[in-house]
Amino acid sequence: MMIISLKKQFMQFFSAHFLQKTAKNIGLMKRCRAILPEQLVLSLISALSKGNCTSIADLLRQFNGMCLTEMDNVAYKPFHNQLRKEAFPLFMRQLVQFAIAQFARQQCAQLPDKMSCFNDVLLQDGSSFHVHRQLASVYPSRFKRNPAAIECHMTMSLKTFSPTAMTISADTASERDYLPKPATMDNKLLLADAGYPDFDYFAELERHGGFYIFRGAKSLNPTVIEARNCKGRTLTKLAGKKLKEITRRTNRTEVLDLAVCRGNQTFRVIRRWFAEEQRFCIWLTNLPRETYSADDIMAIYRCRWQIELMFKELKSHTNWQRFATAQKAIVDGLVWASLLALCIRRSTALQIMPSVSLFKAAKNVDVWLLPIFECISHKSWSEIIDKIDWAIRYITKNAPKAQQRKSKKDITLDGIYEQLNA
């Protein structure tokens, strides 16, 4: 059943008719020539998935390597001209949206009881990487040493383990501008880092029925309305104080659960003292204290690390790094192509085995995934069943999650879920 489902998904997405129609609608092609969209997409995904591609010439070699005969090979210049078209990044972005709709939503992870009440749990973050210095006028960097850099703002679903939205901007752009629209957040929980808190956004989010857990900045200094320790005991002496007035010298409680106000806005703050690092860590949330304890809030927030792992996978195993080109269209298009490769790889591996180690699966795509792409490229639909069957057997045996030591169990996603279900 799984083999048939995966074959159907591949045939639908990599259909020559579908890809050519999409390319024509966007303006990437007007008529069929040597570089067909289906061949281009498959070769880009294959090359970027291997993680050792450093130039346009490497992409071309992969394209020619997947051709059936030497007569189908193309030269560097027409290949480069195809990638530099302004429609190329638009085409790849459109395919990413189709892939999320078709592949990523095929799997749906089981969330712990305290998170299953939400329609979805969304993780928000951004990551930057340097590009050719000649793009500094388009993508200025925050740092003088590397004058050009791209910031990719991503929203990831914890249910599907795949991106739901991504935007490319200059490294100097504000992260807050790329948060999910509050109107789309009804009964959804959003987790984000310290660079994102925006109190006007919080108010809009609550008005539309959304929930949030954000890391708080060091500058945060609201007024305490009510204070409790981690066991629920009320600390009356702290009421009316500013947050920064509550120091380790005046209060030795390791975890504080506070109801605070900032102007006319009230919200909840969890503050924990980390003795080893000699610092406080702060979380802001609107989740009710009656249902979610301070420990629950901190445990749920640790799930946000999954989007950091996704960015690591993009950079390490999907060739998301400095592209050796000063052409904006090529850079943008290859960023979207990398994300497309990740979406398809992750979805395929998770459908094969929900408990798969995505890290192990990403390291060995040449063994289990690229043979499937070669069959699709050659239109060998009769052979693809054998390749998918081999991929299932290989992933099942060679890419399961490793058993974690007890000391690290609480920081893994499975350990966090177990803690929340306890």
Side-chain angles (χ1 to χ4, degrees):
M1 187 67 181
M2 186 189 303
I3 295 176
I4 296 173
S5 175
L6 285 171
K7 179 184 176 182
K8 183 179 179 181
Q9 291 173 50
F10 286 129
M11 290 181 69
Q12 287 179 346
F13 185 81
F14 293 107
S15 162
H17 174 74
F18 164 69
L19 292 175
Q20 290 179 21
K21 182 179 178 181
T22 304
K24 287 178 180 178
N25 289 340
I26 288 177
L28 182 65
M29 62 174 284
K30 294 182 179 179
R31 54 187 179 275
C32 295
R33 292 200 173 189
I35 304 175
L36 296 173
E38 60 270 26
Q39 296 172 331
L40 178 64
V41 171
L42 281 165
S43 66
L44 289 177
I45 293 175
S46 300
L48 295 172
S49 293
K50 291 191 292 187
N52 58 1
C53 174
T54 59
S55 65
I56 306 299
D58 289 338
L59 299 176
L60 175 62
R61 281 188 282 271
Q62 181 68 39
F63 179 88
N64 287 335
M66 296 181 72
C67 293
L68 280 173
T69 65
E70 290 184 11
M71 297 293 293
D72 298 324
N73 288 3
V74 297
Y76 182 88
K77 187 173 182 179
F79 186 79
H80 184 272
N81 288 342
Q82 191 73 353
L83 298 186
R84 67 184 294 204
K85 291 180 179 178
E86 292 185 3
F88 173 59
L90 301 177
F91 176 63
M92 298 309 302
R93 181 176 183 174
Q94 186 78 60
L95 292 186
V96 168
Q97 293 172 350
F98 286 140
I100 290 173
Q102 183 168 322
F103 283 95
R105 294 176 185 174
Q106 295 295 325
Q107 75 277 351
C108 190
Q110 183 68 37
L111 297 178
D113 294 341
K114 290 195 175 181
M115 297 166 68
S116 61
C117 59
F118 301 112
N119 294 339
D120 203 350
V121 178
L122 300 179
L123 319 178
Q124 179 75 24
D125 202 5
S127 183
S128 63
F129 64 94
H130 303 298
V131 293
H132 200 284
R133 62 177 53 247
Q134 289 185 20
L135 291 170
S137 60
V138 182
Y139 293 126
S141 173
R142 289 172 292 171
F143 308 102
K144 293 182 179 180
R145 184 177 179 182
N146 296 284
I150 283 180
E151 178 87 11
C152 295
H153 309 271
M154 186 181 295
T155 306
M156 172 187 168
S157 167
L158 199 58
K159 279 191 172 182
T160 64
F161 260 74
S162 295
T164 61
M166 191 180 93
T167 307
I168 299 172
S169 73
D171 189 33
T172 53
S174 172
E175 296 174 325
R176 298 177 181 178
D177 295 338
Y178 300 93
L179 288 165
K181 300 298 181 185
T184 66
M185 291 296 296
D186 182 32
N187 197 36
K188 293 180 181 178
L189 174 63
L190 178 63
L191 312 181
D193 205 1
Y196 289 94
D198 182 338
F199 292 95
D200 291 335
Y201 180 81
F202 292 162
E204 281 293 299
L205 198 63
E206 288 193 64
R207 192 169 68 84
H208 287 91
F211 300 90
Y212 61 87
I213 304 176
F214 279 52
R215 272 281 296 272
K218 293 180 180 179
S219 58
L220 183 70
N221 194 28
T223 302
V224 176
I225 301 172
E226 183 184 18
R228 297 173 185 262
N229 61 17
C230 59
K231 295 181 180 179
R233 179 187 171 188
T234 303
L235 306 174
T236 55
K237 291 183 180 181
L238 301 184
K241 290 188 176 183
K242 289 286 188 178
L243 181 61
K244 287 188 176 182
E245 295 174 358
I246 306 173
T247 64
R248 288 294 289 171
R249 182 170 295 181
T250 58
N251 186 280
R252 305 292 292 179
T253 305
E254 183 178 330
V255 178
L256 286 175
D257 190 347
L258 310 170
V260 301
C261 67
R262 181 181 180 272
N264 296 325
Q265 195 169 0
T266 60
F267 52 96
R268 187 178 171 196
V269 166
I270 308 297
R271 193 181 78 169
R272 180 178 178 181
W273 171 255
F274 287 90
E276 292 182 1
E277 302 172 21
Q278 292 292 297
R279 67 180 180 92
F280 288 110
C281 195
I282 299 170
W283 295 269
L284 288 66
T285 184
N286 64 338
L287 291 175
R289 180 185 290 158
E290 296 76 21
T291 310
Y292 299 91
S293 66
D295 288 339
D296 291 337
I297 299 299
M298 292 185 286
I300 292 172
Y301 184 81
R302 288 204 298 274
C303 297
R304 199 198 65 84
W305 188 248
Q306 297 305 309
I307 195 169
E308 301 281 3
L309 296 178
M310 176 178 284
F311 278 124
K312 181 180 179 181
E313 185 179 338
L314 271 167
K315 291 183 175 182
S316 301
H317 301 296
T318 320
N319 223 84
W320 211 33
Q321 55 187 338
R322 185 197 296 268
F323 296 112
T325 177
Q327 298 285 336
K328 179 181 182 297
I330 296 179
V331 171
D332 291 356
L334 293 181
V335 169
W336 288 109
S338 295
L339 185 60
L340 177 62
L342 176 132
C343 288
I344 294 175
R345 180 179 66 232
R346 277 196 161 210
S347 176
T348 305
L350 286 167
Q351 287 183 70
I352 290 173
M353 185 169 66
S355 60
V356 67
S357 166
L358 294 170
F359 173 75
K360 293 178 182 177
K363 288 186 69 176
N364 297 285
V365 289
D366 55 326
V367 177
W368 65 276
L369 187 58
L370 297 195
I372 297 175
F373 291 160
E374 288 182 1
C375 283
I376 298 171
S377 178
H378 301 159
K379 296 182 173 57
S380 303
W381 299 113
S382 59
E383 298 179 17
I384 195 172
I385 291 178
D386 293 334
K387 301 300 182 183
I388 294 175
D389 180 58
W390 161 249
I392 292 172
R393 288 187 283 114
Y394 178 84
I395 288 292
T396 303
K397 186 175 181 179
N398 295 282
K401 288 182 180 177
Q403 187 172 0
Q404 297 293 326
R405 290 178 295 177
K406 289 184 178 179
S407 60
K408 291 189 175 183
K409 190 175 181 181
D410 290 342
I411 65 175
T412 64
L413 190 64
D414 292 338
I416 294 170
Y417 283 3
E418 186 177 330
Q419 177 185 340
L420 290 170
N421 282 328

